[in-house]
C-alpha cells in the first residue's frame, strides 16, 4: 500500500513539470499551450458568404518567449549551454522590438504576399496612444515545428513574423492591437484586453 501511495504521489508530481537531465524544471506542454493561448487572438473577415481574410497571431512577449524556450528544450533536448545562448538571443530581441507570430490566410495565393515590398497590405501596432508600422518577414520554419509552437497554425495558413520598432519590454501588459489592412479587407487583433 505504501508503494502505491508513493508511486501515485510521484506521478502526480511529474504532471506539474518536467525536469531536464541537468535538473532544470520545464513547463509542461499544457502549461505552454495555456501561455500561448493567453497571448493570442484571431479573426475572420467575410464578404457575403466568402471569407476574404483569416488571421491569428501570438505576441512574443517575455512569458511566451520563456515558455517557448522550455518547449524547444523539450523537443530538441538542448544542453544548458544551448538554452543559455538561445535565451540571451531572445532577451536581446525583447529589448529592441515587439514581435508577433502571424498565421495568415486569404483564398487567392497572389494576395498572400505580406513580406513583399510591393504588397498592398499594411500592418500597424497601436499601443499607448502611438502607432507603429510593421516589418513583415516570412517564417520559414518547418511546419511540424510551427504547429508544435503555435497549435492553431496549419498547412493552409502562411507563417509570418511581424516586427515593430518598440521594445516589447516597454509595453508588456499594456493593451495593444495589431491591424492588417489592404484593398481586400481589414482585420484587427487585440492583446492584453482590459475588459
Amino acid at each position: 500500500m505504501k508503494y502505491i501511495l508513493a508511486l501515485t504521489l510521484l506521478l502526480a508530481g511529474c504532471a506539474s513539470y518536467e525536469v531536464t537531465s541537468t535538473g532544470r524544471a520545464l513547463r509542461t506542454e499544457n502549461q505552454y499551450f495555456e501561455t500561448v493561448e493567453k497571448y493570442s487572438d484571431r479573426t475572420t473577415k467575410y464578404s457575403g458568404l466568402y471569407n476574404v481574410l483569416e488571421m491569428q497571431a501570438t505576441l512574443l512577449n517575455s512569458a511566451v518567449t520563456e515558455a517557448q524556450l522550455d518547449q524547444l528544450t523539450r523537443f530538441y533536448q538542448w544542453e544548458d549551454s544551448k538554452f543559455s545562448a538561445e535565451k540571451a538571443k531572445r532577451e536581446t530581441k525583447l529589448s529592441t522590438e515587439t514581435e508577433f507570430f502571424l498565421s495568415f490566410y486569404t483564398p487567392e495565393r497572389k494576395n498572400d504576399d505580406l513580406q513583399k515590398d510591393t504588397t498592398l497590405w499594411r500592418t500597424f501596432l497601436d499601443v499607448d496612444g502611438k502607432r507603429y508600422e510593421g516589418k513583415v518577414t516570412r517564417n520559414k520554419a518547418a511546419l511540424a515545428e510551427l504547429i508544435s509552437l503555435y497549435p492553431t497554425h496549419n498547412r493552409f495558413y502562411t507563417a509570418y513574423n511581424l516586427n515593430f520598432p518598440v521594445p516589447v519590454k516597454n509595453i508588456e501588459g499594456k493593451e495593444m492591437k495589431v491591424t492588417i489592412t489592404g484593398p481586400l479587407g481589414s482585420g484587427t487583433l487585440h492583446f492584453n484586453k482590459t475588459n
Side-chain angles (χ1 to χ4, degrees):
M1 186 66 168
K2 286 182 188 178
Y3 295 113
I4 293 173
L5 181 60
L7 182 59
T8 303
L9 289 174
L10 178 64
L11 291 175
C14 291
S16 61
Y17 64 91
E18 296 175 36
V19 179
T20 65
S21 60
T22 58
R24 195 166 49 76
L26 301 175
R27 290 165 186 81
T28 64
E29 278 201 312
N30 285 342
Q31 290 169 327
Y32 171 74
F33 293 137
E34 287 170 9
T35 302
V36 168
E37 182 64 28
K38 180 177 179 181
Y39 295 103
S40 296
D41 195 23
R42 59 190 56 88
T43 190
T44 303
K45 297 298 175 185
Y46 293 91
S47 175
L49 297 175
Y50 300 101
N51 66 337
V52 294
L53 171 68
E54 288 184 47
M55 60 183 183
Q56 46 203 12
T58 301
L59 170 61
L60 302 180
N61 61 8
S62 297
V64 172
T65 297
E66 289 172 16
Q68 278 187 348
L69 287 169
D70 284 354
Q71 186 80 328
L72 291 167
T73 298
R74 178 184 304 96
F75 294 149
Y76 298 122
Q77 298 181 6
W78 284 348
E79 298 291 327
D80 284 346
S81 58
K82 173 70 172 170
F83 175 86
S84 297
E86 288 295 321
K87 185 174 182 175
K89 251 194 277 187
R90 290 172 186 242
E91 285 293 324
T92 299
K93 196 172 236 193
L94 292 170
S95 300
T96 58
E97 65 187 10
T98 297
E99 183 175 19
F100 294 83
F101 171 80
L102 174 71
S103 290
F104 184 82
Y105 172 80
T106 189
E108 290 193 43
R109 296 295 293 170
K110 68 179 182 178
N111 297 322
D112 188 356
D113 64 351
L114 275 68
Q115 82 284 4
K116 292 183 179 175
D117 291 337
T118 58
T119 188
L120 298 175
W121 297 101
R122 299 293 176 264
T123 58
F124 301 103
L125 170 67
D126 292 292
V127 61
D128 229 7
K130 295 180 183 167
R131 174 168 267 198
Y132 302 92
E133 190 164 354
K135 180 179 183 334
V136 182
T137 55
R138 186 93 180 256
N139 187 318
K140 295 185 180 180
L143 181 62
E145 182 176 274
L146 290 173
I147 291 171
S148 69
L149 293 175
Y150 309 100
T152 57
H153 184 73
N154 63 51
R155 65 186 181 91
F156 299 107
Y157 289 88
T158 303
Y160 291 102
N161 290 80
L162 305 180
N163 300 86
F164 298 95
V166 57
V168 74
K169 291 206 174 227
N170 293 354
I171 59 172
E172 278 187 297
K174 295 182 180 179
E175 193 170 341
M176 59 184 81
K177 67 180 183 177
V178 170
T179 303
I180 298 178
T181 188
L184 291 176
S186 182
T188 302
L189 302 167
H190 298 271
F191 302 88
N192 300 324
K193 291 181 276 196
T194 55
N195 51 5

